[in-house]
C-alpha cells in the first residue's frame, strides 16, 4: 500500500481523506410466492351450475366434465357435484310444478260446470265430474 505524496503549500487540492467504503449492493427484490394454479375444471363448474338452471342437459355434461378433470388432478370439486345434482333435480321439480298448475287450472275450469264431456277450442275434450 502506498501513501499519497505530502501536499505542497501551493497545491489547491486538499489532502486526500479516507474514502468511505462503497455502499453494499442493494438486496435482491423479494417476490411473493407464485399464485397457486387455479383448480382444474373451475370454469366448467361455474358454467355447469349456470346451465343446470337454463339448459339442464348441457349443465349436466359440463358438470360431469369438470368433475372428471378435478378428480384426474387429485382434487375434490363440490361445485361440479352440485351442478350434477341441480341438473337432475331441477327439470323434475319444474315438471312437477307444471303438472300441479295444469291440474289446478283444469279443476278450476270444471268447478263451474256440470258433470259431462266438453269440447275444447284448440281440440280435445274436457271431462268433468
Amino acid at each position: 500500500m502506498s501513501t499519497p505524496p505530502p501536499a505542497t503549500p501551493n497545491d489547491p487540492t486538499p489532502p486526500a481523506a479516507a474514502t468511505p467504503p462503497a455502499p453494499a449492493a442493494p438486496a435482491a427484490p423479494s417476490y411473493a410466492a407464485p399464485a397457486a394454479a387455479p383448480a382444474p375444471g373451475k370454469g366448467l363448474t361455474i358454467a355447469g351450475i349456470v346451465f343446470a338452471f337454463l339448459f339442464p342437459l348441457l349443465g349436466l355434461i359440463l358438470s360431469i366434465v369438470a368433475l372428471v378433470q378435478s378428480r384426474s388432478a387429485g382434487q375434490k370439486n363440490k361445485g361440479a357435484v352440485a351442478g350434477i345434482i341441480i341438473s337432475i333435480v331441477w327439470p323434475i321439480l319444474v315438471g312437477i310444478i307444471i303438472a300441479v298448475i295444469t291440474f289446478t287450472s283444469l279443476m278450476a275450469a270444471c268447478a263451474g260446470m256440470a258433470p259431462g264431456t266438453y269440447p275444447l277450442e284448440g281440440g280435445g275434450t274436457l271431462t268433468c265430474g
Side-chain angles (χ1 to χ4, degrees), residues 4-113:
T8 58
N10 294 337
D11 191 7
T13 61
T19 59
S30 62
Y31 296 103
K42 184 176 180 182
L44 286 175
T45 299
I46 294 170
I49 291 173
V50 170
F51 281 112
F53 290 103
L54 303 173
F55 304 105
L57 183 61
L58 181 60
L60 179 65
I61 292 169
L62 291 176
S63 296
I64 290 172
V65 170
L67 184 63
V68 169
Q69 285 182 356
S70 297
R71 288 217 175 138
S72 67
Q75 296 182 352
K76 293 183 178 179
N77 192 341
K78 292 180 182 178
V81 174
I84 292 169
I85 293 170
I86 293 169
S87 296
I88 293 170
V89 172
W90 181 248
I92 295 170
L93 185 62
V94 169
I96 291 171
I97 291 171
I98 290 173
V100 167
I101 291 172
T102 303
F103 180 75
T104 305
S105 65
L106 289 174
M107 295 309 288
C110 283
M113 299 179 174

